[in-house]
Amino acid sequence: MGDSPRRGRYSDSPSPRRRYSRSRSPARRYSRSPPARRENGSQDEAVNPGNNLYVTGLSTRVTEKDLDEHFSKEGKVTECRLVVDPRTRESRGFGFVTMETVDDADRCIKYLNRSTLEGRIITVEKK
């Protein structure tokens, strides 16, 4: 060993492996603080105008066409979206129905909430 300076396990120079964070998780992009409030005090969120309905309790056999037909009894349906599993393409048991007017949506809640569709009792509400 002789006269050369001895390098121990713990040196003053940074290890090349320690220059960067050891974390493998992606950098946090979103704040945990609540959404900013507007001047009128409301939060920055999507606002339901009142004609968009949330439908739960659906059978896995229900199709968007079935939903459209069921809700068309109470008013004009502009859009039906059934939420499906991305892998199996099977219904996840809930969906969204957009009615043409708020009055149609209110009528659907009044008459179709707790109604039966494909042998299952469904729940209809504004979300």
Side-chain angles (χ1 to χ4, degrees), residues 9-59:
R9 249 171 74 168
Y10 304 103
S11 68
D12 292 335
S13 65
S15 168
R17 287 175 275 178
R18 296 270 180 147
R19 283 186 201 150
Y20 305 102
S21 169
R22 295 176 69 184
S23 172
R24 298 241 183 236
S25 61
R28 191 180 298 166
R29 293 182 199 142
Y30 303 103
S31 168
R32 289 188 177 184
S33 60
R37 293 200 175 267
R38 294 183 181 160
E39 289 178 21
N40 63 1
S42 67
Q43 291 183 346
D44 289 334
E45 294 180 357
V47 178
N48 183 358
N51 63 336
N52 192 20
L53 301 173
Y54 176 61
V55 185
T56 59
L58 298 171
S59 166

Side-chain angles (χ1 to χ4, degrees), residues 53-89:
L53 301 173
Y54 176 61
V55 185
T56 59
L58 298 171
S59 166
T60 56
R61 296 183 306 265
V62 170
T63 64
E64 287 181 356
K65 183 181 176 198
D66 295 333
L67 268 181
D68 191 312
E69 289 173 0
H70 191 69
F71 280 79
S72 292
K73 297 172 188 172
E74 300 303 329
K76 184 160 175 20
V77 176
T78 58
E79 182 180 16
C80 273
R81 290 284 171 210
L82 190 61
V83 179
V84 295
D85 184 273
R87 240 179 283 140
T88 64
R89 305 300 295 163

Side-chain angles (χ1 to χ4, degrees), residues 76-116:
K76 184 160 175 20
V77 176
T78 58
E79 182 180 16
C80 273
R81 290 284 171 210
L82 190 61
V83 179
V84 295
D85 184 273
R87 240 179 283 140
T88 64
R89 305 300 295 163
E90 186 177 76
S91 169
R92 302 229 7 229
F94 68 97
F96 300 91
V97 178
T98 304
M99 303 302 290
E100 189 172 61
T101 66
V102 175
D103 292 335
D104 290 345
D106 291 337
R107 196 175 315 106
C108 286
I109 292 171
K110 183 175 180 180
Y111 295 112
L112 298 180
N113 187 35
R114 309 288 298 155
S115 65
T116 304

